[in-house]
């Protein structure tokens, strides 16, 4: 896998409740290993592999290997329920890269309610982290799952090869370790909506610069304005959740129709919505 760390908190949204917060992968989390209560009042002590999570911004309640849609080990019911909900929206065949589920506490993670990140000790494997405390509404957590899945499908190696030698000559914004293929989703998205933005621009920006870029005519949420890949993931989530798509010519309306050009993504949207509303 070749995607950046992605974590999500709760900013302003244009169409529905949203969650998003970009976080770089860090190591050395020192949070105490907590326990979690299951519905029958029994207590399960969760195993926590902080080396695999490799992100000290996340307060980890438990880490669990997964096989397809099956979560392995003794899992508290509230944590298993969140993993099961993810698989209702995204059948196992859609996420073979995810080999670990990480239960987190949104409040103690600085408002982050989800992340999709590389496993810190198992190269080529990915973990999904989601809040399991009920600290955010169910519909917000659903949207977080959709946003994180957007990162999975747009930053896979068949979309962005892991080759940092291609970054300097990349004609569009790159994800640090590789340049998007010219037939990838993000190459098309960046060419259309972020044509003059580069990694150097990102590194030179302040938080104030990102805040000033946001306008509701151009971005579906304020967080979407922070970085191109987060813009695409936020748009994908809004596109999936929208009952009707706008027909206007504003930039944000054009973005909300962007993924309609990909039949495989339209089919995926239908699958997700079936899980959401069944």
């Amino acid at each position: 896998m070749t995607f950046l760390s992605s974590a999500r908190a709760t900013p302003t949204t244009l169409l529905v409740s949203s969650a998003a917060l970009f976080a770089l992968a860090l190591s050395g989390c020192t949070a105490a290993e907590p326990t979690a209560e299951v519905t029958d009042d029994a207590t399960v002590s969760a195993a926590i592999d902080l080396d695999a999570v490799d992100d000290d911004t996340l307060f980890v309640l438990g880490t669990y290997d997964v096989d397809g849609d099956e979560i392995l080990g003794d899992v508290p019911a509230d944590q298993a329920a969140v993993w099961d909900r993810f698989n209702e929206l995204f059948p196992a065949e859609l996420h073979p890269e995810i080999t670990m589920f990480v239960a987190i506490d949104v409040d103690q993670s600085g408002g982050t309610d989800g992340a999709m990140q590389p496993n810190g000790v198992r190269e080529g494997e990915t973990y999904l982290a989601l809040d399991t405390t009920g600290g955010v509404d169910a519909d917000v957590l659903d949207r977080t799952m959709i946003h994180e899945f957007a990162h999975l499908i747009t930053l896979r190696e068949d979309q962005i090869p892991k080759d940092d030698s291609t970054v300097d000559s990349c004609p569009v914004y790159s994800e640090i370790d590789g340049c998007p293929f010219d037939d990838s989703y993000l190459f098309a998205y960046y060419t259309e909506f972020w044509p003059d933005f580069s990694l150097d621009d990102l590194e030179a920006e302040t938080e104030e610069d990102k805040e000033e870029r946001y306008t509701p005519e151009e971005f579906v949420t304020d967080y979407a304005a922070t970085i191109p890949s987060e813009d695409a993931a936020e748009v994908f989530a809004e596109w999936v959740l929208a009952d009707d798509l706008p027909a206007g010519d504003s930039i944000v309306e054009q973005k909300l129709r962007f993924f309609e050009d990909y039949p495989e993504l339209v089919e995926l949207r239908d699958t997700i919505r079936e899980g959401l509303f069944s």
Side-chain angles (χ1 to χ4, degrees):
M1 293 298 297
T2 143
F3 53 86
L4 292 178
S5 309
S6 174
R8 296 168 49 76
T10 308
T12 307
T13 182
L14 177 67
L15 297 180
V16 297
S17 299
S18 68
L21 173 67
F22 182 74
L24 294 177
L26 302 172
S27 61
C29 182
T30 58
E33 296 188 7
T35 58
E37 293 185 358
V38 294
T39 53
D40 62 0
D41 294 328
T43 299
V44 175
S45 295
I48 298 177
D49 187 346
L50 296 179
D51 289 333
V53 176
D54 194 25
D55 186 338
D56 65 4
T57 69
L58 300 178
F59 188 90
V60 179
L61 302 175
T63 58
Y64 308 97
D65 286 337
V66 297
D67 182 8
D69 60 3
E70 182 181 1
I71 189 168
L72 308 178
D74 294 326
V75 188
D78 54 353
Q79 298 178 17
V82 173
W83 171 252
D84 290 343
R85 177 56 173 169
F86 178 77
N87 284 279
E88 287 177 357
L89 306 186
F90 305 100
E93 62 268 20
L94 297 178
H95 53 80
E97 302 93 339
I98 300 175
T99 59
M100 177 178 284
F101 175 65
V102 179
I104 62 174
D105 182 317
V106 60
D107 292 331
Q108 297 192 73
S109 298
T112 297
D113 65 354
M116 183 88 72
Q117 306 192 120
N119 188 301
V121 295
R122 303 202 301 245
E123 186 175 357
E125 298 184 25
T126 300
Y127 71 79
L128 171 67
L130 292 169
D131 174 64
T132 60
T133 68
V136 294
D137 291 341
D139 61 335
V140 175
L141 195 60
D142 281 348
R143 188 188 185 282
T144 295
M145 295 178 189
I146 299 168
H147 173 107
E148 298 303 336
F149 194 80
H151 285 306
L152 188 70
I153 62 173
T154 59
L155 301 174
R156 282 172 165 154
E157 289 196 27
D158 64 351
Q159 297 285 312
I160 301 179
K162 191 173 183 179
D163 182 359
D164 56 14
S165 69
T166 64
V167 171
D168 289 342
S169 61
C170 191
V172 295
Y173 172 78
S174 75
E175 290 291 334
I176 298 177
D177 58 357
C179 180
F181 287 122
D182 58 11
D183 61 351
S184 66
Y185 305 131
L186 290 187
F187 191 98
Y189 193 89
Y190 296 163
T191 299
E192 185 166 355
F193 300 117
W194 294 77
D196 301 317
F197 194 83
S198 69
L199 183 59
D200 288 340
D201 294 326
L202 172 66
E203 293 175 343
E205 283 191 334
T206 66
E207 290 304 312
E208 290 75 17
D209 293 331
K210 297 171 185 178
E211 291 172 3
E212 290 176 1
R213 181 160 51 231
Y214 169 74
T215 69
E217 292 76 29
E218 295 185 54
F219 297 98
V220 295
T221 64
D222 53 358
Y223 183 68
T226 62
I227 188 172
S229 56
E230 297 299 345
D231 183 25
E234 285 287 87
V235 167
F236 184 87
E238 295 288 354
W239 172 65
V240 168
L241 291 168
D243 293 329
D244 299 297
L245 296 177
D249 293 326
S250 71
I251 292 176
V252 72
E253 290 171 317
Q254 292 176 50
K255 287 178 176 178
L256 286 166
R257 297 193 299 269
F258 173 83
F259 293 106
E260 291 287 305
D261 290 338
Y262 299 93
E264 71 277 13
L265 296 184
V266 173
E267 182 179 353
L268 173 60
R269 178 181 186 267
D270 292 341
T271 297
I272 301 169
R273 286 178 63 86
E274 182 178 352
L276 281 169
F277 304 120
S278 62

